[in-house]
Amino acid sequence: MSDDELQIRTLITRWAEAVHRGDLDTVLDQHAEDLVMYDVPAPHEGIRGLAAYRATWPPFFVWQAQGARFDIDVTAGHDVAYAHALLRCGTPEELAECPSLRLRLTFGLRKEHGRWLIAHEHHSFPHD
């Protein structure tokens, strides 16, 4: 594993742990100000900017506290990278009803001044 891959894996693992704890400040850390995120709930055209991203988290923290796991894979270049994960995420009832359901998560990252920042997130459930 390259040093960049290790840095990104550490960044995303730290992000995932903060999501589990409901630690909004750490969730927001290392995100670009001009972040774009496409999420499961509306707005389906996505959100833009760190303030809009911040506003999406409180309701999600309540929901995800009922169970989530992150399996992360990273591919890194010199100044851009992406990572993806499958999350076991849902209420106990939802997980019992559909135990194989996974939330898909993709990160796009860029390196600025030697520091990796998350510039894009995409969250989705498969549509059956």
Side-chain angles (χ1 to χ4, degrees):
M1 181 179 310
S2 74
D3 186 52
D4 284 323
E5 289 172 330
L6 181 59
Q7 287 177 38
I8 292 166
R9 182 172 295 280
T10 300
L11 180 156
I12 294 171
T13 299
R14 183 173 175 260
W15 175 88
E17 290 168 351
V19 169
H20 287 297
R21 289 190 314 271
D23 176 356
L24 185 57
D25 289 336
T26 303
V27 167
L28 297 173
D29 189 38
Q30 293 200 244
H31 278 74
E33 286 291 331
D34 61 347
L35 166 80
V36 175
M37 180 181 73
Y38 297 106
D39 205 356
V40 172
H44 299 295
E45 65 274 8
I47 58 101
R48 296 180 187 287
L50 207 48
Y53 180 72
R54 172 187 287 277
T56 68
W57 281 99
F60 182 78
F61 286 148
V62 172
W63 181 77
Q64 74 82 41
Q66 300 167 70
R69 192 182 108 209
F70 300 82
D71 296 320
I72 301 164
D73 191 24
V74 175
T75 301
H78 177 68
D79 57 0
V80 294
Y82 71 90
H84 55 87
L86 293 173
L87 290 67
R88 181 170 161 80
C89 198
T91 65
E93 294 79 19
E94 290 166 335
L95 295 173
E97 183 178 319
C98 190
S100 64
L101 182 63
R102 298 291 186 266
L103 177 74
R104 300 171 298 195
L105 173 61
T106 304
F107 292 100
L109 301 99
R110 69 176 181 249
K111 191 184 264 187
E112 293 183 4
H113 309 290
R115 181 176 177 226
W116 286 102
L117 298 174
I118 298 169
H120 179 83
E121 283 186 35
H122 187 120
H123 309 177
S124 65
F125 280 107
H127 182 66
D128 294 330

